[in-house]
Amino acid sequence: MCNILFNEMKKRVLYILLLLSLVCNAQDSNMKYFNEEQFNDWEKAGDFSKEERRLRKEDKEVHILKNKDTLNINISSINNSFTEGYDYSPKTKVCTTYIKRFRNVIVLIKKYDEQGNLIKEENYEKRYKISIEKLIEIAKEKLSIDINPPQYRIVVSRYDYDENRIPVYIITIPSFYAWFSRIISIDANTGEILFDKEIGGGNVCITEGNDENHYLNEYYPLKKKKRNYKLKNTKKK
């Protein structure tokens, strides 16, 4: 009896995964070529000209930019801060670059050739143990901050440009006071909150010793150097 139930559950899980795969493939195929007609039933939501269009449908918004050198479609949501950008070849109108972002953080990049064949894929989520979804949870649980709604004036970045330092997520929340922001640093692999302080930025109204460079090693700390212990030769001569 248990085996029958297990096999039935297994079939249902496989069926759901298959449906999700088909949906994802369908979405990818819809955006493979530059095609504005798929947005004909969307309503105007801002700038509108021959080169630039902003449209909205339900919770989705799209920004279409086209000129002699650029064909770009950017899709966002009013419910979260994830965006999807599609760059197309002006010559073939085939998607050559797909970028998924969460605010300023790149999540996924896919590169295609002029025929639409995938030539490179970089999943930045796989580089670190703390995913964007997990980061959102940590901010809610430990800091009581919801970084997901796009209407909030919050900047989220990932600092990983220096291999000598610990990769971190930086959450910046503008203060009511000009040129000051709350800076929060979270370890991208452990989820530990490394830094949380309101500091000055820019060249105006900075309290002496309170600028970002002063705290660099705190919110973007250096990796601890591993010590090499050499065994002493205890043999008697």
Side-chain angles (χ1 to χ4, degrees):
M1 184 65 181
C2 290
N3 288 334
I4 294 173
L5 290 172
F6 177 76
N7 290 332
E8 186 64 27
M9 289 178 64
K10 190 175 180 181
K11 287 179 182 178
R12 290 184 181 181
V13 170
L14 290 173
Y15 179 70
I16 292 170
L17 291 174
L18 178 61
L19 284 177
L20 289 173
S21 176
L22 290 172
V23 169
C24 291
N25 288 334
Q27 290 174 339
D28 289 343
S29 63
N30 287 340
M31 302 302 296
K32 185 176 181 179
Y33 299 96
F34 185 80
N35 176 21
E36 292 183 88
E37 292 182 2
Q38 62 181 306
F39 303 111
N40 283 347
D41 60 339
W42 292 43
E43 62 183 20
K44 292 181 182 180
D47 297 334
F48 212 89
S49 66
K50 288 184 177 180
E51 293 189 346
E52 186 174 14
R53 298 172 66 195
R54 292 181 186 273
L55 305 166
R56 181 185 296 118
K57 185 178 181 181
E58 297 176 354
D59 66 329
K60 298 291 184 182
E61 293 185 350
V62 63
H63 180 203
I64 302 171
L65 185 64
K66 62 175 182 177
N67 54 46
K68 185 176 68 174
D69 304 313
T70 304
L71 287 177
N72 177 270
I73 294 178
N74 194 73
I75 300 174
S76 59
S77 171
I78 62 174
N79 294 328
N80 60 66
S81 293
F82 287 95
T83 59
E84 294 181 294
Y86 300 83
D87 288 325
Y88 296 87
S89 165
K91 181 181 178 181
T92 63
K93 293 191 175 181
V94 171
C95 180
T96 54
T97 305
Y98 165 80
I99 302 179
K100 182 178 181 180
R101 288 185 174 91
F102 177 79
R103 295 191 181 270
N104 290 354
V105 180
I106 294 177
V107 178
L108 177 67
I109 295 180
K110 290 183 179 181
K111 295 281 188 179
Y112 302 88
D113 61 20
E114 292 284 337
Q115 287 71 46
N117 300 309
L118 181 66
I119 55 178
K120 186 178 181 181
E121 181 175 343
E122 290 185 89
N123 189 337
Y124 289 79
E125 291 280 78
K126 292 183 178 180
R127 295 184 181 185
Y128 311 103
K129 295 178 181 178
I130 303 299
S131 65
I132 293 299
E133 294 292 348
K134 185 63 179 176
L135 179 68
I136 294 171
E137 289 181 18
I138 291 172
K140 281 183 179 180
E141 294 173 2
K142 295 184 178 181
L143 301 165
S144 299
I145 300 171
D146 192 350
I147 62 174
N148 203 13
Q151 62 269 27
Y152 293 170
R153 291 196 310 139
I154 295 175
V155 178
V156 180
S157 307
R158 185 195 291 118
Y159 283 19
D160 57 0
Y161 55 83
D162 189 340
E163 61 181 14
N164 296 314
R165 297 180 182 273
I166 295 172
V168 296
Y169 290 107
I170 301 293
I171 301 172
T172 304
I173 305 173
S175 172
F176 290 109
Y177 302 100
W179 299 103
F180 279 79
S181 297
R182 180 182 175 186
I183 306 294
I184 302 164
S185 171
I186 299 175
D187 191 311
N189 284 317
T190 66
E192 178 187 356
I193 297 173
L194 303 174
F195 185 88
D196 185 356
K197 189 174 292 187
E198 189 170 273
I199 63 176
N203 298 315
V204 183
C205 298
I206 295 178
T207 305
E208 186 177 355
N210 194 32
D211 61 327
E212 289 189 29
N213 290 331
H214 181 76
Y215 291 106
L216 179 63
N217 288 333
E218 292 185 47
Y219 69 76
Y220 192 21
L222 291 163
K223 293 177 180 176
K224 292 181 180 179
K225 293 182 178 180
K226 294 181 180 180
R227 295 183 179 181
N228 294 322
Y229 295 97
K230 293 184 179 180
L231 295 174
K232 293 182 179 181
N233 190 353
T234 56
K235 292 183 179 180
K236 292 183 180 180
K237 295 182 178 180

